[in-house]
Amino acid sequence: MSTLSDADVRSALAAQTIELPSWAFGNSGTRFKVFSTPGVPRDPYEKIADVAQVNTYTGTAPRVSLHIPWDLVDDFDDLARHARAHGVQIGAINSNVFQDEDFKLGSLTHADPTIRAKAVRHHLDCIDVMRATGSTDLKIWLPDGTNYPGQDDIRSRQDRLAESLAEIYAALEPHMRLLLEYKFFEPYFYTTDIPDWGTSLVHCMALGDQATVVLDTGHHAPGTNIEFIVAQLLRVGRLGAFDFNSRFYADDDLMVGAADPFQLFRIMNEIVISDALRPDSGVNFMLDQCHNIEAKIQGQIRSVMNVQEATAKALLVDRDALAEAQRSGDVLGANAVLMDAYNTDVRPLLAEVREAKGLDGDPIAAFRASGYVEKVSEERVGGTQASWGA
Ligand code: RM4
Ligand code: MN
């Protein structure tokens, strides 16, 4: 690719969209304590109202992922209407097979066919939710795994997984996709049935073109070169989505770009190189975060801005100079071109892009000044606050 013009950089930034997770707006915590915060939503309707706030101030967050059963409502058509009225669409529907007694030893991989059938049925119910809400992405993060060598047969579990996934895949409509996430460990510690991108890709390839891999930036061993995985999955047309978040130790679900903004830049650089930033590229840029101690709506706004900053830097890379340095074997020159872009302060550029859309250049300041948090803290009394896992 060649170096982008200033106008192309600005229009790419203006067109970028990021999907928000409904669960980021409820209370969440560690396995030791869930803290509660005034004004936290009590149901999916209030979560969507909060999502709309992030979209109002960033102009970049027009979709929300739901988690079933956490976001179960009586009438999903009505929830989708509520979302549209707030300028938001329903994005990925996330299944959940990690909170049912029956799934202690596995769900889609379970040795017992009746338990497997129950896990498959849950996914068919999720596809019904997709029909009602207009969602096109079914996202599966499979917790299945074992804790002890010998506990179950690794290969048989893969065979059972392939069969279960094929049943789910067969129920998809042509415009729907199956997004298959991987995670190297947790909740189990010896084997995980989808531990890495290779395993996810193998299953996706067996299923068909509507199955693609989800890359959660928190689901890798320390030191993993994530941008390599991004480049490879893009190369074979199977990067369906990101779950963006930051990790310091394991699956920390912190604000993306907080732990390693340079890694986020390197990831977005691969996206730009493959021209995958376009809204119709087939890559869904989602956040998967939990805000335990920080303000939730503001935390999401910060994350959106962090992704935008990494993207702007990637768009600014002098591609002509980089190609020339690479061609001539100028190792340090090539690296310097990349670092020049990374070290650019893109905040003024992004403020101008926002202002050109009629937004405030500083979304955090504008949101804080709006008084929304104070208002919902007064209004949302009574009822039970939504929280991770409920
Ligand atoms: C998992 C995974 C999924 C998320 C759940 C709540 O670790 O990241 O994407 O939906 O957590
Ligand atoms: Mn995830």
Side-chain angles (χ1 to χ4, degrees):
M1 67 176 296
S2 46
T3 306
L4 295 176
S5 69
D6 179 63
D8 286 346
V9 170
R10 285 169 196 263
S11 72
L13 289 170
Q16 182 174 28
T17 66
I18 296 163
E19 182 166 320
L20 308 185
S22 69
W23 52 99
F25 296 87
N27 287 319
S28 75
T30 65
R31 64 175 124 167
F32 302 106
K33 165 84 181 149
V34 173
F35 297 103
S36 69
T37 307
V40 155
R42 294 162 297 179
D43 58 39
Y45 287 83
E46 292 181 350
K47 289 183 197 172
I48 287 174
D50 288 5
V51 168
Q53 287 294 305
V54 179
N55 193 36
T56 298
Y57 291 97
T58 63
T60 303
R63 296 184 307 280
V64 57
S65 315
L66 301 184
H67 211 295
I68 307 298
W70 301 345
D71 294 316
L72 267 185
V73 292
D74 293 336
D75 184 346
F76 275 103
D77 293 288
D78 187 59
L79 188 69
R81 264 196 303 279
H82 168 81
R84 279 195 298 276
H86 281 78
V88 173
Q89 276 184 341
I90 306 298
I93 300 299
N94 288 249
S95 62
N96 178 328
V97 282
F98 49 90
Q99 290 180 312
D100 188 314
E101 285 291 319
D102 283 344
F103 298 145
K104 185 166 78 173
L105 301 181
S107 61
L108 298 179
T109 63
H110 203 286
D112 180 344
T114 58
I115 307 270
R116 282 207 304 282
K118 176 176 170 175
V120 168
R121 210 175 325 116
H122 168 63
H123 288 87
L124 304 186
D125 291 343
C126 288
I127 294 173
D128 285 341
V129 172
M130 293 167 71
R131 280 193 197 95
T133 56
S135 160
T136 56
D137 287 349
L138 172 66
K139 179 163 150 237
I140 306 179
W141 168 65
L142 194 72
D144 295 20
T146 64
N147 268 355
Y148 295 99
Q151 179 188 324
D152 199 359
D153 185 70
I154 293 173
R155 182 168 167 170
S156 305
R157 289 175 75 91
Q158 286 300 304
D159 293 341
R160 299 193 291 258
L161 172 60
E163 275 175 35
S164 301
L165 286 173
E167 283 179 52
I168 297 166
Y169 188 84
L172 294 177
E173 293 181 15
H175 68 285
M176 294 176 174
R177 307 192 301 167
L178 188 156
L179 303 179
L180 196 58
E181 186 170 351
Y182 60 91
K183 176 172 170 177
F184 70 133
F185 84 105
E186 212 184 34
Y188 303 100
F189 301 103
Y190 169 56
T191 57
T192 300
D193 292 298
I194 311 182
D196 50 36
W197 66 276
T199 305
S200 177
L201 181 62
V202 163
H203 285 288
C204 288
M205 290 177 67
L207 290 169
D209 289 345
Q210 287 164 255
T212 54
V213 178
V214 180
L215 188 157
D216 182 312
T217 47
H219 291 187
H220 305 83
T224 301
N225 183 330
I226 296 178
E227 61 271 25
F228 178 87
I229 303 171
V230 172
Q232 185 70 293
L233 289 175
L234 286 170
R235 192 178 152 263
V236 296
R238 294 283 181 159
L239 180 62
F242 283 100
D243 266 2
F244 278 135
N245 54 67
S246 278
R247 75 189 284 280
F248 285 101
Y249 296 101
D251 189 23
D252 302 342
D253 284 341
L254 300 174
M255 294 187 305
V256 65
D260 191 346
F262 184 43
Q263 179 187 66
L264 184 57
F265 161 75
R266 299 192 312 263
I267 290 171
M268 295 314 298
N269 183 47
E270 292 304 325
I271 290 291
V272 169
I273 288 171
S274 289
D275 192 24
L277 193 60
R278 289 173 294 106
D280 63 349
S281 71
V283 181
N284 188 357
F285 298 86
M286 311 187 288
L287 305 182
D288 178 10
Q289 296 172 193
C290 287
H291 304 295
N292 297 345
I293 56 169
E294 68 274 35
K296 296 166 201 311
I297 298 173
Q298 204 179 306
Q300 290 283 289
I301 294 176
R302 169 58 65 200
S303 296
V304 169
M305 292 171 72
N306 287 351
V307 176
Q308 289 181 303
E309 286 171 22
T311 306
K313 291 175 184 199
L315 290 166
L316 287 177
V317 172
D318 185 339
R319 301 288 162 190
D320 300 332
L322 183 61
E324 180 47 37
Q326 289 175 347
R327 219 175 4 249
S328 61
D330 182 357
V331 175
L332 295 180
N335 177 244
V337 171
L338 217 62
M339 295 312 292
D340 273 347
Y342 177 65
N343 288 318
T344 307
D345 183 358
V346 294
R347 291 171 299 181
L349 166 65
L350 281 162
E352 285 175 26
V353 169
R354 291 184 191 111
E355 280 156 10
K357 283 183 169 182
L359 302 172
D360 196 298
D362 183 344
I364 299 267
F367 173 70
R368 286 177 80 115
S370 74
Y372 181 82
V373 171
E374 294 75 12
K375 181 171 144 287
V376 292
S377 300
E378 269 173 36
E379 283 169 9
R380 293 176 182 171
V381 288
T384 310
Q385 292 187 322
S387 73
W388 198 99

